[in-house]
Amino acid sequence: MELILAADLLSPHAGLIFWKALTFLLLLYLLYRFAWEPITTALNDREKTISDSIQRAEKALAEAKQIQADNQKARREAEQEAQRLLREAREQAEQLRADEVQQTREQIQQMRDQAQAEIEREKQGALDELRAEVADLAIQAAEKILEDSLDGARQRKLVADFIDDLPKN
Amino acid sequence: MAADGDDEELDVNYLLIGHAADGYYVDFEPFGKVELPRIFLLKDEQGGWSLDAYGSTKSAVLNGHYAVHHEEDAATPPDDAAAADATGTADPAADHGEAAHSPEETVASGEHLHGSLVAPAGHEIVLDLSITRHYVFGLLAALLVLAVFIPLGQRYKRGIGRETAPQGVFQNMFETLVIFVRDEIAKPNMGDKYERFLPFLLTAFFFILFANLFGLVPYGAAATSNIMVTGVLAFFTFIIGQVYASADHWKHIFWPPGVPVLVKIILIPVEFLGLFTKHIALAIRLFANMTAGTLVILSLLALIFIVNSLFGNVAAMLASPFSVLLTLFISLVKLLVAFIQAYVFTMLSALFIGMAIEEHHDHEHAAPVEGPTPGLSEDHGAVTPHTLMGDDGAARERTQMPQAIAG
């Protein structure tokens, strides 16, 4: 009984083997040709595309970060530059004003000096002129005296009087 | 056999095996049976070859003068059939003894579907190429695989899934399985040469899966519950493995390096046998799993009838809910097993092919690990590719370098 039962399940059947092998080979070929080949290549392509895209995106991100960092750096530098320029300009302006004031002051001083010198010179001139005038007058007086007969005492008195007559300055 | 008298049990056994075994008809009870074509390669007494084809067993018996030789007479060779028939009245079970004489009566009783056919006088059946039930369901599974994957392939060709994301349940579901086979089965077991074998693995996986699932369909049967079918599949694995085998693979079998000569004497036959036992086990594993599921379900249902015959109607009615619930449970298990066995078969195929194509770098380590029994060697075989391919492979290569320089 058991033998027959087992034989039913295990008995070899050449026809089935033949048909099965044929079918499987055909199935393998058809699937390989029309299914696995397009599917697996498509999957590989897609995976490649995705990994490439990710790589590209990562690269782009890194680039963007780099650019951003560069921009930030440039901006900071520009700001620093601007501040420096401003400071310099301010300093320059300060300097310029100080110079201007100094110059004006010097100019005023100079003008005052000039005026003083002028006055001095004028005064000197006037004194000189006066002196010359005085001398001339003295000489004229002397001449007058000489033209008169002169005695010593009178002469001395005349001179003294004359000198006293002279304005004190 | 029936002489013991326990007719009920005999019928149950016969029924179970009849359902699980292959046959030349597809049973659509209660709507009837569809007989399948019979094809025979014949050789006559003059040595001439001929091919005989009939639309059904019935027509072979009625028109082709084929005689029915019942399974229960299997012990007696066909030549003695006439003798057995002559003494047929002595056999209490052989009420079809006379039926064999009249083709019409045999067909009317349906006996022709359960017996094997004997060629008409003067001819000998060389090859029985008849279409069987398991083949029909195998073919259906194959056609279903084609119906699923060829449109899927065209979808990818059109660019859906190539440039864009896969769309729809259909594509996503099967793509997941395809990627599973590729990434979980092919890649880990075959390394970077996996692409060459991926079509075979995918075909095997989906054919087995679909064939397994056919076993769960009403009126259906799992083609994989037939040892011929699983045998053919395992044979393909075997052939592919041997055709693409590396020199190391053969060297490993016929002259395992790093083993004393005395051990080699034992090891070589073991390795050689292991080559076949691995693949035979592969076929039997799938066949046994699928057949067991069918037999368990049928047995659980048959329990109702056995209880009925042993304890009567009431007991049978009480037993039937449990029987049905258990059957439901086993059906769910079968669903799980359908996937698991498709995975296991493909996984082991990938492993065996991967082992055969692999180029070993270290025999000193691998050879002694192979156990003295085929079963053990198979188990270790499951580990070796990984350990060899693994992280310490490079390290071992490095240690071999100084030796090579010294030599």
Side-chain angles (χ1 to χ4, degrees), chain B residues 21 72 92 96 108 128 144 160 168 195 198 204 220 230 236 238 259 321 333 342 349 357 376 407:
Chain B
E72 286 181 18
H96 38 265
D128 182 355
L144 200 61
I160 305 168
E195 276 188 351
L198 190 58
T230 61
F236 276 110
F238 175 75
V259 179
V333 171
S349 289
I357 61 168
L376 206 60

Side-chain angles (χ1 to χ4, degrees), chain A residues 3 5 38 46 53 73-74 79 87 91 133 138 141 143 145 147:
Chain A
L3 273 178
L5 292 179
R46 201 175 76 204
S53 303
K73 202 172 143 222
E79 266 172 15
R87 202 170 52 236
E91 277 170 6
E133 197 80 14
E143 272 174 1
I145 294 161
E147 278 170 8

Side-chain angles (χ1 to χ4, degrees), chain A residues 58-128:
Chain A
E58 269 170 4
K59 226 173 91 182
L61 189 67
E63 267 173 22
K65 270 186 182 158
Q66 184 62 42
I67 287 170
Q68 201 187 19
D70 286 354
N71 281 348
Q72 219 154 22
K73 202 172 143 222
R75 207 187 65 195
R76 209 174 299 126
E77 276 173 4
E79 266 172 15
Q80 278 172 351
E81 179 74 13
Q83 259 169 359
R84 192 178 59 81
L85 284 177
L86 202 64
R87 202 170 52 236
E88 271 179 13
R90 202 175 287 140
E91 277 170 6
Q92 257 173 357
E94 199 77 27
Q95 185 70 37
L96 213 60
R97 210 180 58 184
D99 286 358
E100 198 83 9
V101 167
Q102 182 69 23
Q103 217 174 357
T104 314
R105 199 172 285 147
E106 274 173 9
Q107 238 167 3
I108 290 168
Q109 185 66 36
Q110 209 178 357
M111 278 160 78
R112 203 160 48 190
D113 286 357
Q114 256 176 351
Q116 221 147 22
E118 192 78 12
I119 289 164
E120 198 67 33
R121 206 167 47 243
E122 291 288 320
K123 198 170 109 187
Q124 197 63 42
L127 273 179
D128 285 353

Side-chain angles (χ1 to χ4, degrees), chain B residues 175-188 194 198 200-203 205-206 343 346 350:
Chain B
E175 189 189 292
T176 309
L177 288 173
V178 170
I179 290 177
F180 173 77
V181 172
R182 190 190 65 176
D183 290 354
E184 305 297 323
I185 297 177
K187 273 185 188 171
Y194 78 93
L198 190 58
F200 169 71
L201 294 178
L202 285 168
T203 308
F205 180 81
F206 286 107
Y343 166 69
T346 317

Side-chain angles (χ1 to χ4, degrees), chain B residues 373-402:
Chain B
T373 66
L376 206 60
S377 87
E378 187 188 313
D379 287 343
H380 281 289
V383 181
T384 25
H386 298 292
T387 50
L388 281 177
M389 300 278 288
D391 43 355
D392 52 347
R396 242 181 267 124
E397 258 184 3
R398 246 180 282 124
T399 56
Q400 279 179 341
M401 279 282 284

Side-chain angles (χ1 to χ4, degrees), chain B residues 103-128:
Chain B
E104 286 75 15
E105 267 179 59
T106 311
V107 170
S109 65
E111 292 293 345
H112 61 296
L113 292 175
H114 301 289
S116 57
L117 294 188
V118 180
H123 291 76
E124 187 196 344
I125 297 175
V126 181
L127 202 58
D128 182 355

